[in-house]
C-alpha cells in the first residue's frame, strides 16, 4: 500500500513527533468509525512513522514499569 504524506525520513524531529502524536490521538476513532480504506491508510502511515522514529531513536528510554518484570511487581 502506498501512503500519502511526506516521506517520514524528510520530516524534522519535531514534525515526526507531532505526526505520531496526532495519529495516536485519532487511532480509536479511525478504528471504530473509519472506512476500511481509512483504517488501512491510518495503519500504514502509523507504521511508517513509527519505523522512522525507531530508526532515529534506537536507544529510546523504556519505562521499567512497561516491561514484564515491572508488571509482575505491580
Amino acid at each position: 500500500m502506498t501512503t500519502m504524506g511526506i516521506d517520514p525520513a524528510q520530516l524534522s524531529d519535531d514534525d515526526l513527533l507531532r505526526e505520531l502524536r496526532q495519529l495516536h490521538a485519532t487511532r480509536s476513532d479511525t478504528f471504530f468509525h473509519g472506512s476500511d480504506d481509512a483504517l488501512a491508510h491510518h495503519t500504514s502511515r502509523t507504521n511508517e512513522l513509527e519505523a522512522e522514529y525507531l530508526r532515529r531513536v534506537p536507544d529510546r528510554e523504556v519505562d521499567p514499569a512497561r516491561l514484564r518484570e515491572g508488571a509482575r511487581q505491580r
Side-chain angles (χ1 to χ4, degrees):
M1 166 177 255
T2 302
T3 62
M4 297 184 302
I6 297 171
D7 179 353
Q10 302 302 313
L11 293 171
S12 69
D13 289 348
D14 287 342
D15 288 339
L16 178 61
L17 288 173
R18 181 180 43 77
E19 291 290 322
L20 278 168
R21 286 188 177 110
Q22 179 62 27
L23 282 169
H24 283 256
T26 60
R27 182 63 182 180
S28 291
D29 192 49
T30 304
F31 180 77
F32 288 113
H33 306 291
S35 67
D36 289 345
D37 285 344
L39 181 59
H41 182 269
H42 197 280
T43 300
S44 179
R45 185 64 174 168
T46 300
N47 289 342
E48 287 179 346
L49 293 171
E50 287 178 348
E52 179 61 21
Y53 179 83
L54 292 173
R55 186 190 71 74
R56 292 184 193 187
V57 190
D59 297 323
R60 73 192 195 289
E61 182 179 337
V62 176
D63 181 350
R66 302 287 300 181
L67 301 173
R68 184 174 290 152
E69 187 61 34
R72 287 186 188 134
Q73 291 176 4
R74 284 186 291 228

